[in-house]
Amino acid sequence: MILLAVPRAVLAPLRAVVSIEREIRGLRDDVRALQAGVDRIGDATENLETKVDELGVHLDAVGALATRFGRFGARRP
């Protein structure tokens, strides 16, 4: 019986190491997926900033037109 207990005592830590290694691999995959999601959010944020900047230019142009039309309207009798 003592001979059977020794291999189990030796193999138990090895099984734990294999389990830990499997968990680490799973965590690596999770971190990669998380990084891909962060990259997509970053790209979307840049696209949104570009669109907001373009909208600001259009709003400035509309404001300039409104000012001109306002001036024309003020000149009418």
Side-chain angles (χ1 to χ4, degrees):
M1 291 201 162
I2 294 174
L3 292 176
L4 291 176
V6 171
R8 288 181 186 169
V10 171
L11 293 178
L14 294 177
R15 288 186 188 130
V17 169
V18 170
S19 177
I20 291 169
E21 183 181 4
R22 193 176 311 128
E23 283 294 321
I24 289 173
R25 286 182 187 160
L27 289 174
R28 276 191 207 139
D29 293 339
D30 291 345
V31 168
R32 285 183 187 131
L34 181 64
Q35 183 62 40
V38 169
D39 290 342
R40 283 194 307 256
I41 290 170
D43 292 343
T45 301
E46 288 177 18
N47 291 337
L48 181 59
E49 287 175 352
T50 301
K51 290 181 181 186
V52 168
D53 291 342
E54 291 171 359
L55 181 61
V57 169
H58 294 301
L59 288 175
D60 289 343
V62 168
L65 284 174
T67 301
R68 288 183 184 170
F69 287 141
R71 286 183 188 161
F72 291 138
R75 291 183 185 170
R76 290 184 180 175

